[in-house]
Amino acid sequence: MVVWNSMIAGYAMCGNLHDAVKVFEENINKVSEMNADTYIGLQRACTKQVALEQGRSFQKTSDYWDQFDKPEVGAAIMEMYSKCGGEPGEISAVFDKLPKDKVRSWDALIRAHANQGDMQEALRVFEQMQADGVKPDAATFASVLNVCSMMSDVTHGRHIHEQVKSAGFESDSIVAKALIDMYSKFRNFTDARAVLEKLSSKQLALDAMMAGLAEYGHPADALQFYEELKVSGDELTNIVYVSALKSCSRMSSLEEGRKIHEDAKGRNVVNDPYVSSALIDMYSKCGSLDDAFKVFNSGKCSLATYNAMLRAYVQYGHFEETLKLFQNMQHDGLNPNEASVLAVLNALTTSGDLGDCKRLHAYVIERDLEASAALGRAFITRYANLAGIEEAQVHYETLPLRDVTTWNTWLAILADKDYRAALKGLEEMVKEVKPVPGTFSNLLNSCRDKDLVGESLEVLKLMNDVHNLKPNAEHYALFADTVERAGRLNDAEGLLKDLPVPANFDNWAAFLSDFKSHLSANSCFGHECASDFKWVSDVYANDELRMDAFKYYVLPKAVEAWKNPGSVVVESEPEMTLMRGTELTEKIEKHKVLFKDGRRVVRRSPTSDKAKEEALCGHCERLAISFGILNTGPGTTIRVSKNLRVCADCHTVTKLMSKIEKRDIIIRDSYRIHHFNKSGECSCNDFY
């Protein structure tokens, strides 16, 4: 029995459900009764592969074998339901069969609700277990503290901390780690330090403190803590080194990174795969790809180091090297995981090739990786960017798991196209999962981009009145931005009179962007990129603010601001040949009639001149579209990827080009996707 269960557990860890089931079926023929470990292993295998129906089937089997007197079996089943998209009622039904006097049963229910994103219900269960006379243990407190962290609920977190003190668990290493994690996410490192200082056994807490400083604090403070650990005599684990190197990456401090590299060599941890991968990340983010490659080649290659090197190549735009390295890792006997695929997918998205994206998706399905929720979300986002929302929807509807995070991703995609479509998506979402505060941030972002003040207020009221979720400062900030952009800032207070405003939300101006309706000469200093100065100059280009426009046009030249040159990629068939220069010129000249005085259809500021008009005609996306039109058959969709945001003139002209040429044109810029249909309409509804 022990051997069979070990095999099932091993297959479960690797996500190999097929072989785990095979062992189970063979085992059924050999013994008359399974034990708890058998069913726990099977449920974990189902969880790993997001196999909801198979998990339901095994639950019936465990009912048959009468294993529900063991909370650990019920915990595994509830985890499966919570992570595989099961109904809340199914989780409750499992809990109802478990012994209520066992803290493990309650802890499993709390974690199940947290997995489903229902933090309020998780806290309610925690209160109910105490009301029923069940005392929380260390694991329960750690779970609830993590819930408070995910909710960013400082008040509740402090309340749970007081309960931890009363119960005598503050010195427990697991609880202390959860407390430090929570306070770090709140950016309250004073209280996190206070928890650390009270511990006698500090290793786990030291790792948590270092990781918290690196992730949520100032990187200089994290490096200072690293120096303190070096002289304290405490063991420096791989987590400490990884966190210190991450801090160097955030600071872009190559010199500090080299010092930590030498320290790692001296303490003989440099060959740890996680330390090596952190070194590769640090060197690549600090501008030294050569050093990153040296680290990669110096030690034994692992999945972690391969993934780090893949990310480095993507960061530097070395897409061919990315694909070659992806092939090499498989030749070396390493099976790519979701991190590997995500890196390659980023490379393919940047290159703008839809065909390669589809081939990678086929690879994921072939290698049985489609159960990854992160990959599912990444692929539907890429399909939306490269092919449009219709293509993304086809793949979204086939995802094996549509949890709250996946739904939020889908709503963000819908909201980018149309607010009403996102609102309809929300109606569908509530049939499957409960919305969370982040869900409504996507809707508010859509309203902000389109200056929809009434709809933005509707979202806040929907959140508060229908879904019983209190808007937080982030939601009100998005609303304030929307109101400001629409020039209705003075109406904000009256609009919000029926909504609960956070106590710390007392300064609307702190949340305002520098937009045309409230722009002043003193409010825009600090822009460091020439494109920002140019944008401000365009906003000022009217008769009243002509001198300010001149100031912002001249200023970047004075400070020698750098401008990122525009570049595009147009997706093409392999047999496409390069056009002759004269052909491209003729096509551009044909479309330049749109700019002639008397037939001008593009927006133009009073500061425009002939030189600017000629420059607009040569914007890279227009050249790419003309290239595509000349080299593809009538009616073929043109897909273009651009590294900068599309300007107003190019947006207007592309609408006309799509209508004149009777083609769909899809442009993916640095801000959003624009799908121009044959009628000359854009999916962004002219909010760009």
Side-chain angles (χ1 to χ4, degrees):
M1 179 67 71
V2 174
V3 174
W4 292 112
N5 286 342
S6 297
M7 291 179 67
I8 291 175
Y11 286 132
M13 185 178 299
C14 298
N16 191 338
L17 177 60
H18 177 269
D19 287 338
V21 172
K22 184 178 180 181
V23 171
F24 171 73
E25 291 173 344
E26 292 176 353
N27 202 9
I28 284 287
N29 295 327
K30 294 182 178 293
V31 296
S32 59
E33 186 174 348
M34 303 288 97
N35 62 21
D37 290 339
T38 308
Y39 295 107
I40 291 171
L42 291 171
Q43 291 293 355
R44 286 177 177 169
C46 293
T47 302
K48 196 85 170 180
Q49 281 296 298
V50 199
L52 179 60
E53 292 305 321
Q54 185 72 69
R56 284 175 174 151
S57 174
F58 285 136
Q59 183 198 336
K60 296 175 182 177
T61 306
S62 56
D63 277 342
Y64 177 79
W65 291 111
D66 195 23
Q67 294 291 332
F68 268 94
D69 60 330
K70 300 179 177 62
E72 58 269 25
V73 175
I77 295 173
M78 283 193 281
E79 181 184 22
M80 182 276 298
Y81 279 130
S82 67
K83 292 184 176 180
C84 296
E87 298 290 336
E90 292 178 302
I91 295 173
S92 299
V94 174
F95 177 74
D96 290 341
K97 296 180 181 181
L98 298 178
K100 303 300 184 295
D101 59 338
K102 302 290 187 182
V103 68
R104 181 72 180 272
S105 304
W106 292 93
D107 186 33
L109 184 60
I110 291 170
R111 285 187 282 107
H113 285 305
N115 289 337
Q116 290 197 315
D118 194 348
M119 308 305 169
Q120 295 288 355
E121 184 63 17
L123 291 178
R124 190 199 65 77
V125 170
F126 177 68
E127 294 170 357
Q128 185 62 49
M129 74 175 286
Q130 295 177 88
D132 289 356
V134 180
K135 293 183 178 181
D137 62 6
T140 310
F141 277 122
S143 297
V144 177
L145 288 167
N146 288 332
V147 168
C148 294
S149 298
M150 289 185 281
M151 293 176 67
S152 298
D153 192 333
V154 179
T155 303
H156 241 114
R158 290 191 181 280
H159 177 65
I160 302 298
H161 190 178
E162 291 302 318
Q163 293 187 47
V164 167
K165 291 178 182 178
S166 300
F169 284 110
E170 196 175 24
S171 61
D172 182 273
S173 59
I174 296 176
V175 175
K177 178 185 180 300
L179 282 167
I180 292 172
D181 285 341
M182 180 187 72
Y183 282 125
S184 296
K185 289 176 183 176
F186 296 160
R187 290 175 171 77
N188 183 348
F189 296 103
T190 301
D191 285 345
R193 282 260 193 169
V195 172
L196 176 64
E197 296 303 327
K198 294 177 182 178
L199 299 175
S200 55
S201 178
K202 296 185 177 183
Q203 190 59 66
L204 195 61
L206 287 172
D207 290 346
M209 189 73 202
M210 185 68 201
L213 285 167
E215 183 71 25
Y216 304 104
H218 194 284
D221 293 335
L223 293 180
Q224 177 60 39
F225 187 69
Y226 167 74
E227 293 297 330
E228 293 175 16
L229 292 180
K230 284 171 61 178
V231 299
S232 68
D234 292 305
E235 180 184 356
L236 301 185
T237 64
N238 59 354
I239 294 176
V240 171
Y241 280 104
V242 168
S243 300
L245 290 166
K246 183 174 184 177
S247 298
C248 295
S249 300
R250 289 180 59 195
M251 294 175 64
S252 297
S253 178
L254 184 59
E255 182 180 354
E256 289 295 328
R258 292 191 193 280
K259 291 178 182 178
I260 294 172
H261 190 177
E262 292 303 315
D263 290 344
K265 289 179 180 178
R267 295 180 185 252
N268 202 29
V269 295
V270 73
N271 290 323
D272 178 274
Y274 298 104
V275 175
S276 295
S277 64
L279 283 166
I280 294 170
D281 279 333
M282 182 275 296
Y283 279 124
S284 63
K285 290 175 181 177
C286 291
S288 182
L289 184 62
D290 289 340
D291 283 327
F293 192 69
K294 287 177 183 177
V295 173
F296 176 73
N297 277 335
S298 63
K300 182 179 179 181
C301 290
S302 66
L303 190 59
T305 55
Y306 260 110
N307 287 343
M309 200 64 222
L310 285 171
R311 291 191 296 270
Y313 278 145
V314 172
Q315 177 188 340
Y316 282 81
H318 296 175
F319 305 130
E320 291 185 7
E321 290 86 345
T322 302
L323 297 178
K324 184 176 180 180
L325 189 65
F326 185 69
Q327 295 173 344
N328 289 344
M329 69 186 298
Q330 297 171 71
H331 293 157
D332 287 347
L334 295 172
N335 293 320
N337 61 8
E338 69 176 42
S340 319
V341 176
L342 284 172
V344 176
L345 185 57
N346 285 333
L348 297 180
T349 304
T350 305
S351 68
D353 194 321
L354 177 61
D356 282 344
C357 183
K358 288 185 174 182
R359 283 186 283 274
L360 181 64
H361 197 176
Y363 171 87
V364 166
I365 296 172
E366 178 187 346
R367 294 302 178 96
D368 208 21
L369 293 171
E370 74 272 21
S372 166
L375 283 179
R377 292 190 290 270
F379 271 107
I380 62 170
T381 302
R382 284 355 180 243
Y383 281 126
N385 288 341
L386 296 176
I389 198 167
E390 293 80 8
E391 181 83 15
Q393 185 165 7
V394 170
H395 295 281
Y396 176 72
E397 292 174 352
T398 64
L399 291 179
L401 173 64
R402 299 200 297 198
D403 58 9
V404 66
T405 307
T406 303
W407 268 106
N408 286 347
T409 300
W410 179 238
L411 287 183
I413 293 170
L414 291 174
D416 188 55
K417 178 181 180 183
D418 179 59
Y419 163 76
R420 290 295 167 189
L423 204 59
K424 186 176 180 180
L426 178 63
E427 295 174 0
E428 296 298 318
M429 174 184 182
V430 297
K431 297 176 183 178
E432 296 186 19
V433 296
K434 186 176 180 179
V436 296
T439 305
F440 298 90
S441 297
N442 295 327
L443 297 175
L444 289 168
N445 268 312
S446 175
C447 294
R448 180 190 60 180
D449 292 342
K450 300 171 178 61
D451 297 345
L452 303 177
V453 176
E455 288 80 355
S456 184
L457 183 62
E458 178 187 4
V459 171
L460 291 177
K461 291 183 175 180
L462 185 69
M463 183 180 181
N464 184 69
D465 300 340
V466 177
H467 297 282
N468 198 30
L469 293 170
K470 303 300 179 185
N472 57 34
E474 177 191 358
H475 299 112
Y476 284 112
L478 289 168
F479 175 75
D481 211 354
T482 306
V483 173
E484 191 276 337
R485 292 181 66 167
R488 297 178 59 188
L489 184 61
N490 294 331
D491 300 335
E493 185 176 356
L495 291 170
L496 291 174
K497 62 182 180 180
D498 297 326
L499 286 168
V501 180
N504 63 343
F505 193 79
D506 57 359
N507 187 1
W508 285 98
F511 297 99
L512 301 181
S513 299
D514 299 325
F515 281 88
K516 179 174 168 180
S517 55
H518 292 277
L519 214 54
S520 65
N522 293 326
S523 65
C524 294
F525 287 104
H527 289 275
E528 296 178 355
C529 179
S531 60
D532 293 327
F533 284 110
K534 178 62 177 62
W535 175 77
V536 174
S537 174
D538 285 345
V539 172
Y540 274 125
N542 57 57
D543 291 335
E544 292 79 12
L545 297 173
R546 186 69 56 85
M547 288 307 297
D548 284 325
F550 176 76
K551 179 192 301 181
Y552 282 99
Y553 178 75
V554 173
L555 183 58
K557 298 182 183 301
V559 298
E560 297 182 353
W562 173 81
K563 178 175 174 63
N564 188 24
S567 63
V568 296
V569 175
V570 57
E571 186 176 325
S572 61
E573 298 300 326
E575 64 271 15
M576 182 181 289
T577 58
L578 185 64
M579 69 176 71
R580 294 191 302 273
T582 54
E583 294 175 320
L584 179 58
T585 302
E586 290 170 1
K587 181 60 67 174
I588 292 295
E589 289 296 326
K590 174 185 176 182
H591 291 126
K592 278 175 66 175
V593 298
L594 301 173
F595 296 92
K596 298 302 181 183
D597 291 339
R599 299 184 62 189
R600 181 177 296 158
V601 291
V602 297
R603 292 192 292 178
R604 186 68 44 77
S605 74
T607 57
S608 297
D609 53 23
K610 183 172 178 61
K612 182 174 180 180
E613 182 174 310
E614 294 299 323
L616 287 168
C617 292
H619 276 193
C620 53
E621 58 266 46
R622 272 181 239 183
L623 298 175
I625 292 169
S626 297
F627 178 92
I629 290 172
L630 281 171
N631 287 275
T632 58
T636 304
T637 298
I638 305 296
R639 293 186 175 89
V640 174
S641 300
K642 183 180 181 182
N643 66 329
L644 301 176
R645 194 169 180 172
V646 171
C647 72
D649 293 282
C650 288
H651 189 273
T652 303
V653 169
T654 306
K655 290 171 62 177
L656 292 166
M657 292 173 76
S658 64
K659 188 173 183 178
I660 292 169
E661 298 290 341
K662 303 296 183 188
R663 294 178 183 241
D664 283 344
I665 300 175
I666 298 174
I667 299 180
R668 182 176 62 84
D669 66 10
S670 62
Y671 185 65
R672 61 160 21 109
I673 183 162
H674 301 269
H675 187 163
F676 302 88
N677 61 28
K678 297 180 180 70
S679 300
E681 299 168 336
C682 181
S683 60
C684 76
N685 295 321
D686 294 338
F687 287 93
Y688 43 84

